[in-house]
Amino acid sequence: MSSASSKAAVSDQLTKDSASRANRIMIIIWSWQYGGMPSQMDEWSVEGNSGDKVVRMDLKMSSSAKETLREKLQEYAQQGEVFLFLHRRHGYDQKTLKEILQMARSVLPQGHLIKSFLFGEGNDKIYIVNQTKGLLGTRGTFSAKLQAVGIRQATYVNAIADKDKKVIKRKHFDFVWHQYSHNFKAKIFELKEDLFRSLSPFLFITEIQAGAVYNYIKQEENKLLMLRLLSFIGKIRKGSNLETQLKEFEQQHKRSYFFDDCHLNLKMTYGEQEAQLYDSLVDTISKKLLAYEPNLNFTNIRDQFDELLEAMPGSTYN
Amino acid sequence: MKQVSYLSTDQITPKAVQNWFEQQGYQFVPLTDASPQPSEAFQKIEILILFVPFFHNNVYISNENVWKSFFQEHYPDVLLLTAGYIKQAHTNYLDLLQLPEDLPAFLQNAKSINQFDRFPFSGGLDVEKKLHKFYKGHGDESLTYELGKIARIITMAVDELKQAVPFPEIYKDLLIPNRIIEKWKVLTNRWQNYLPFFKGLPFDTTLQEVHDGFSSIAPFFEGGCEDEHLLIDLNCKEKLHEIKQKLEIIGRQYG
């Protein structure tokens, strides 16, 4: 399929989904029991009496957890589009994410949309402390107290519409859904911008010596950029020091830097073409930028970023 | 030496291109006040480059065309350009990865602000769309709609108070039935949601004044709207009208 027709197909699909208002389901693995959830799992509907729902699960990673998740994904994917959110602290990583998705998709007919995200440490857009229209509050709840600059009184933000009937406010649900629909595109765009800004000291060097850029990125002051690039090319192992350092940067900056869930989603949600463009960019970054390659061509790297971003439908941010 | 001013949230790139500008005969200076009202400093600018997109509150914000409207309205003689890492061809855009060899010639060919429609989009959050929702959105999105409702209720409350209607009656018959506290919460929540996206816009100072205005009357609302002295002493009616007017002025041009 050509790039244009592939993009058109994705766009058609999105239009169709939006027109038919496919049910949207978020399965969120988090510390819900800490917030008072009596069982391992429950279901909340969304204001407006649609088929949208939030499924809460508190499930530490294990073989049986993977099996349970597979079953749930199969079940919910039959009902609509599914976003699966996995809390990193519950033991989930890129590897387990892949296994779960592969298991679930192997038995689902094509076209069932499942996107999955790893989140944690309070840094992602799903948290109310980061986005007032988020869903996850403090200590396993749907609510949080926020202290805004210049406003004396703390604002209490609650994503619940009706606690007894287990109903979530629509605007919170819609906001998070929309944010995560665009999440990967924004992360890639931000990496591109930050990368070229950091590399601007090389703009006027006509013949960049082999390894000069790599050595520059390796410097302590560029550590964050290096970690993000390593995450982008899939070179950060779970439990490693590098992972800890990148998590610390995330916490410090309240930004999402990990790409551990990106490639899989590009492949399984966006399509093969996007996954190939991603792979090709990963290849360039690994073999040229983070290597001893002479005469680096920045415009070529920029073009690859742009090609990938253009292939992903929708805007960078909502 | 001719001067080129610039606005940027990125500290590294302008430093990297400083020498290049100077070698080509231009003094390259930052515009230190990044949120100006029409001012004397702006009247002195001949050439201004915006390094886009701007980065505020962890989001890349594309505001180039809002700045264009500002200059078109107030300083149409300024030669306005953008610079960035997006691949775009435009007479008034400097592609930082493919800089022109002859900068004076490039600037000579750049169009004056009235001669082109829009800057190429820099790829970040489209602030024009946000502004549109801020002013013209419905229900959950428009802030000015919510503000209008509150201003009307408070005006009525103050007017009735002046006509010697006892405050407890106003509270019971006007403020409570109109759910003023709830409306205030909605308003301030929306304000907090929008404000970060409007950083670095030409009317940033006005927005800060609006923010200060909200903060100054907050004690009345946060106290449950029960204290008539706060209603009067904090000039709630006048402040709300001031805020409304300030936002309307911005809205007429950019909303």
Side-chain angles (χ1 to χ4, degrees), chain B residues 88-105:
Chain B
Q88 294 277 4
H90 189 279
T91 52
N92 290 52
Y93 173 69
L94 276 170
D95 179 346
L96 292 163
L97 295 186
Q98 286 181 313
L99 285 165
E101 279 178 20
D102 185 345
L103 179 62

Side-chain angles (χ1 to χ4, degrees), chain A residues 132 150 153 194 197 253 302 316, chain B residues 53 58 60 95 123 193 215 222:
Chain A
T132 50
Q153 209 169 2
D194 291 343
R197 284 164 193 233
H253 300 163
R302 186 258 301 271
T316 312
Chain B
N58 288 344
Y60 275 105
D95 179 346
N193 282 338
S215 301
E222 289 172 359

Side-chain angles (χ1 to χ4, degrees), chain B:
Chain B
M1 197 184 249
K2 223 172 180 185
Q3 198 175 73
V4 173
S5 305
Y6 69 86
L7 266 180
S8 176
T9 54
D10 161 24
Q11 304 303 315
I12 313 171
T13 306
K15 210 183 276 181
V17 296
Q18 174 108 29
N19 277 345
W20 181 70
F21 274 92
E22 284 170 1
Q23 281 161 10
Q24 307 229 19
Y26 296 90
Q27 201 186 350
F28 189 60
V29 290
L31 205 58
T32 45
D33 182 2
S35 55
Q37 297 294 339
S39 69
E40 214 175 284
F42 269 57
Q43 280 161 10
K44 292 178 188 158
I45 299 173
E46 286 181 57
I47 303 167
L48 177 67
I49 297 179
L50 308 171
F51 285 85
V52 290
F54 283 22
F55 188 69
H56 282 294
N57 297 298
N58 288 344
V59 174
Y60 275 105
I61 294 174
S62 294
N63 57 17
E64 51 275 359
N65 286 305
V66 177
W67 275 100
K68 183 179 182 288
S69 298
F70 171 80
F71 275 93
Q72 206 155 358
E73 169 84 10
H74 300 287
Y75 307 103
D77 294 334
V78 170
L79 183 63
L80 190 65
L81 298 105
T82 54
Y85 296 103
I86 291 273
K87 188 180 182 180
Q88 294 277 4
H90 189 279
T91 52
N92 290 52
Y93 173 69
L94 276 170
D95 179 346
L96 292 163
L97 295 186
Q98 286 181 313
L99 285 165
E101 279 178 20
D102 185 345
L103 179 62
F106 178 84
L107 294 174
Q108 189 81 38
N109 288 332
K111 290 182 176 170
S112 74
I113 207 155
N114 289 316
Q115 283 179 316
F116 67 98
D117 186 26
R118 298 176 64 75
F119 279 114
F121 180 59
S122 61
L125 183 135
D126 188 342
V127 87
E128 281 182 297
K129 277 190 190 161
K130 277 276 172 207
L131 275 166
H132 188 75
K133 282 183 184 171
F134 180 84
Y135 282 102
K136 302 203 175 81
H138 300 291
D140 276 350
E141 293 174 324
S142 166
L143 182 129
T144 49
Y145 177 67
E146 210 61 40
L147 175 63
K149 285 194 285 188
I150 293 179
R152 274 196 301 279
I153 297 164
I154 292 298
T155 301
M156 282 167 71
V158 172
D159 291 350
E160 286 187 16
L161 205 56
K162 281 181 186 162
Q163 289 158 17
V165 179
F167 185 74
E169 206 174 292
I170 297 170
Y171 177 75
K172 191 165 111 327
D173 296 341
L174 178 67
L175 300 181
I176 292 302
N178 278 295
R179 301 192 299 175
I180 190 86
I181 302 167
E182 200 181 303
K183 284 189 170 69
W184 172 260
K185 277 185 185 162
V186 171
L187 177 74
T188 47
N189 274 343
R190 274 186 203 169
W191 177 249
Q192 295 291 342
N193 282 338
Y194 276 111
L195 194 59
F197 300 123
F198 297 160
K199 283 274 172 214
L201 291 180
F203 40 83
D204 202 6
T205 315
T206 312
L207 293 180
Q208 189 53 49
E209 287 165 10
V210 168
H211 186 73
D212 294 343
F214 280 134
S215 301
S216 73
I217 57 174
F220 170 68
F221 295 95
E222 289 172 359
C225 300
E226 290 172 355
D227 188 339
E228 67 175 287
H229 299 296
L230 284 179
L231 175 66
I232 300 301
D233 296 348
L234 297 177
N235 296 318
C236 292
K237 175 186 160 184
E238 294 76 13
K239 287 277 179 198
L240 282 166
H241 281 281
E242 260 176 48
I243 290 171
K244 219 166 146 268
Q245 272 179 342
K246 283 179 196 292
L247 291 177
E248 277 166 6
I249 292 169
I250 297 172
R252 275 199 287 277
Q253 194 178 351
Y254 308 98

Side-chain angles (χ1 to χ4, degrees), chain A residues 183-202:
Chain A
N183 182 49
F184 301 117
K185 191 163 183 173
K187 263 206 281 201
I188 295 169
F189 177 79
E190 288 173 10
L191 177 66
K192 182 200 124 178
E193 284 292 322
D194 291 343
L195 172 68
F196 287 115
R197 284 164 193 233
S198 297
L199 297 184
S200 59
F202 291 91

Side-chain angles (χ1 to χ4, degrees), chain A residues 29-61:
Chain A
I29 314 291
W30 196 43
S31 316
W32 295 110
Q33 287 179 327
Y34 188 58
M37 184 171 76
S39 56
Q40 219 173 35
M41 164 185 173
D42 69 1
E43 227 179 66
W44 291 62
S45 60
V46 182
E47 267 181 327
N49 202 24
S50 66
D52 295 346
K53 59 183 77 162
V54 173
V55 180
R56 303 195 300 172
M57 295 178 84
D58 197 336
L59 213 54
K60 291 253 189 277
M61 217 294 285

Side-chain angles (χ1 to χ4, degrees), chain A residues 44-102:
Chain A
W44 291 62
S45 60
V46 182
E47 267 181 327
N49 202 24
S50 66
D52 295 346
K53 59 183 77 162
V54 173
V55 180
R56 303 195 300 172
M57 295 178 84
D58 197 336
L59 213 54
K60 291 253 189 277
M61 217 294 285
S62 66
S63 328
S64 65
K66 282 193 277 187
E67 184 54 32
T68 309
L69 275 173
R70 181 192 62 78
E71 284 169 15
K72 292 296 162 196
L73 280 176
Q74 274 175 241
E75 180 189 330
Y76 286 109
Q78 305 284 352
Q79 299 175 28
E81 298 174 5
V82 177
F83 281 7
L84 171 67
F85 294 88
L86 297 168
H87 191 214
R88 288 193 180 94
R89 280 227 176 149
H90 275 60
Y92 297 94
D93 60 13
Q94 193 187 11
K95 193 168 151 268
T96 50
L97 181 64
K98 189 174 178 181
E99 282 170 22
I100 294 163
L101 282 184
Q102 276 175 343

